[in-house]
Amino acid sequence: MPGFEIFGDEEKKEVTDVLETGVLFRYGFEGTRNGHFKALEFEKKLCEITHAKYSHLCSSGTAALSISLAACGIGAGDEVIVPPFTFVATFEAIINAGAIPVFGEIDETLCLNPDKLEDIITSKTKAVVPVHMCGAMARIDEIKDVCTKKGLILIEDACQSLGATYQKKAIGTFGLAGCFSFDSVKTVTCGEGGGLITDSKTVYEKADQFADHGHDHLGGPDRGADDHPIIGTNFRISELNAAVGLAQLNKLDQILDIQKKNKHAIKDAMADLPEVGFRYLPDAKGDSATFLSFFLPTEARTRQVAKNLADNKVGCAYWYDNNWHYYKKWHHLKEMKRSAKLCVELADDLPDYKNLVLEDSDNIMKKTLSMQIMLSWTQEDIENRIQAIIKSFKG
Ligand SMILES: *Cc1c(COP(=O)(O)O)cnc(C)c1O
């Protein structure tokens, strides 16, 4: 999964380009930047890869979510449906927008279940933010259908799924906006970074403004001459981060090829294990293959196999117990612990997060393990790993 495994001369070259000019800012300095616009180049490349019309590179995936919510007009009091299996950033961005996260159920895609959406849509629901977890897609066409039918905005959290596709269409391009993370452990890394894509000129312009203090970027060489059509904030990326990311993005095809090859070797070997079922992939060809996720028959057996795998040095993620990725351990959200009063607390009928129970999701996550697929594995590593996995299932 992590692009940092394959840092090389390409990243050094891009960073050196920037350091030689001393211009670390993505805007202006035309006279001294020697023609280098790394953030802009990254955005062009991201559009090429995803076939999105517009993209904006920013400081993090969380920022990309915040910018997208703002640019799509989602704010105070709006309900936004999200899955309970994600990274905390998804609901953080919603809460920080003043909006209210409402949790749906997941299905065997490990992503939001479109069949369970209509039950939780209210007159305040404004958007749905499915999360394409662990490198692969939700049932995104069905989720989109529900959004269209109900007049809801669709924003995809594709932070973990750069390079994934559904029926050959890039994940992230199904909604009004799609968000990616380029943090230090993602498929492509900028060190810290994020990006959003959209086909809407209006959303793009608002995003571009919001992420840079409202700058309309129309003032020419003098930034001070820009107007500020909206109140924004600073979610800018530096040219140094963009430079690392640009080199990485150029390696995306190579990264995906290695991941798919490594994942298939392990998956094929595990297919004979009678206890194992695999995560449902709506389009297996479009999996970016960052993780291999599988199900066991019971919670007890899942915990036992997880322990055996760890003992045999092929540890897997058991998300059900994870502090950051599953709602069970989000006590800070459940108790609305915060550093200052949040807009969301002003809502008259906040969901009862404290007593939230999502039975379908629990039943799936209790029995789910995920193995991260690494780029650096050798053939020998993979063979040893397969032996260790088989051994773990015997115990
Ligand atoms: C990583 C991640 C984010 C946030 O990205 P950062 O760049 O770390 O802010 C958001 N959502 C999901 C699902 C993620 O995995």
Side-chain angles (χ1 to χ4, degrees):
M1 180 192 186
F4 71 72
E5 290 179 277
I6 54 164
F7 278 157
D9 291 342
E10 301 80 7
E11 285 77 3
K12 282 185 199 152
K13 189 231 160 234
E14 296 295 340
V15 172
T16 305
D17 280 352
V18 174
L19 286 177
E20 280 176 350
T21 67
V23 179
L24 309 187
F25 197 54
R26 67 166 298 175
Y27 300 111
F29 295 92
E30 266 84 353
T32 47
R33 63 190 310 139
N34 204 13
H36 295 306
F37 289 90
K38 301 300 182 188
L40 207 61
E41 264 192 77
F42 185 110
E43 287 166 353
K44 278 193 191 140
K45 182 79 193 170
L46 187 59
C47 284
E48 257 174 58
I49 290 170
T50 57
H51 301 288
K53 281 204 184 115
Y54 307 96
S55 81
H56 180 80
L57 185 64
C58 58
S59 53
S60 71
T62 314
L65 287 161
S66 291
I67 297 165
S68 297
L69 291 163
C72 293
I74 296 155
D78 293 332
E79 290 182 358
V80 181
I81 297 175
V82 289
F85 177 44
T86 178
F87 177 54
V88 291
T90 317
F91 73 71
E92 286 174 341
I94 293 165
I95 287 179
N96 288 324
I100 303 165
V102 173
F103 293 92
E105 292 275 16
I106 60 162
D107 59 23
E108 291 197 348
T109 61
L110 303 183
C111 303
L112 206 55
N113 182 350
D115 302 332
K116 296 288 171 83
L117 284 180
E118 297 205 20
D119 302 348
I120 50 172
I121 292 172
T122 72
S123 58
K124 289 201 270 174
T125 309
K126 182 105 181 233
V128 180
V129 180
V131 184
H132 302 284
M133 278 304 274
C134 303
M137 74 291 307
R139 289 156 63 196
I140 192 63
D141 52 346
E142 293 169 82
I143 293 172
K144 189 183 167 88
D145 286 347
V146 176
C147 290
T148 307
K149 187 173 145 200
K150 296 285 177 181
L152 304 175
I153 293 167
L154 173 61
I155 297 176
E156 295 170 79
D157 180 339
C159 284
Q160 294 194 4
S161 292
L162 178 70
T165 55
Y166 175 69
Q167 293 179 351
K168 299 196 174 147
K169 185 171 159 60
I171 287 302
T173 60
F174 288 81
L176 189 53
C179 302
F180 297 104
S181 167
F182 308 114
D183 77 20
S184 56
V185 295
K186 296 298 206 284
T187 306
V188 153
T189 183
C190 293
E192 294 283 4
L196 64 96
I197 53 175
T198 180
D199 282 342
S200 158
K201 188 159 189 260
T202 317
V203 169
Y204 167 71
E205 284 175 352
K206 287 231 169 73
D208 184 60
Q209 293 162 2
F210 184 78
D212 183 23
H213 302 297
H215 276 266
D216 64 3
H217 303 123
L218 297 173
D222 175 13
R223 247 172 89 77
D226 285 349
D227 197 1
H228 32 64
I230 58 168
I231 296 173
T233 185
N234 178 3
F235 282 134
R236 289 185 311 251
I237 190 155
S238 86
E239 283 285 279
L240 283 175
N241 293 91
V244 174
L246 181 60
Q248 288 261 294
L249 200 54
N250 285 322
K251 297 178 181 179
L252 180 61
D253 284 344
Q254 179 197 339
I255 292 174
L256 294 174
D257 283 350
I258 299 171
Q259 280 174 180
K260 288 177 188 181
K261 182 174 78 52
N262 290 354
K263 177 169 175 174
H264 283 134
I266 307 268
K267 191 173 179 181
D268 288 351
M270 287 180 69
D272 296 333
L273 296 167
E275 292 174 290
V276 170
F278 293 108
R279 167 187 184 173
Y280 171 60
L281 298 168
D283 177 5
K285 286 204 182 94
D287 177 14
S288 77
T290 54
F291 280 90
L292 172 61
S293 298
F294 52 94
F295 308 120
L296 283 111
T298 63
E299 176 179 349
R301 184 61 182 145
T302 311
R303 288 183 182 276
Q304 181 64 54
V305 171
K307 186 182 175 299
N308 299 348
L309 287 164
D311 290 347
N312 290 318
K313 299 195 169 54
V314 288
C316 286
Y318 184 54
W319 305 113
Y320 188 68
D321 283 349
N322 187 287
N323 276 346
W324 296 94
H325 291 281
Y326 196 56
Y327 82 102
K328 288 259 168 204
K329 296 273 174 83
W330 294 341
H331 59 82
H332 59 333
L333 169 74
K334 293 183 184 185
E335 287 155 39
M336 273 294 152
K337 286 185 187 158
R338 75 290 177 194
S339 58
K341 200 175 195 80
L342 293 167
C343 200
V344 67
E345 291 172 90
L346 304 176
D348 30 322
D349 51 354
L350 205 58
D352 182 7
Y353 296 122
K354 212 173 211 155
N355 294 307
L356 183 66
V357 178
L358 297 163
E359 272 181 39
D360 293 2
S361 303
D362 287 348
N363 283 333
I364 291 165
M365 294 311 289
K366 271 176 195 169
K367 297 183 275 190
T368 302
L369 294 176
S370 296
M371 181 174 291
Q372 192 174 9
I373 304 299
M374 304 304 280
L375 301 173
S376 50
W377 287 343
T378 62
Q379 194 55 40
E380 195 188 345
D381 291 337
I382 292 175
E383 280 157 23
N384 291 338
R385 179 161 282 266
I386 289 170
Q387 290 319 310
I389 294 168
I390 291 170
K391 190 171 156 207
S392 301
F393 273 85
K394 287 186 179 144

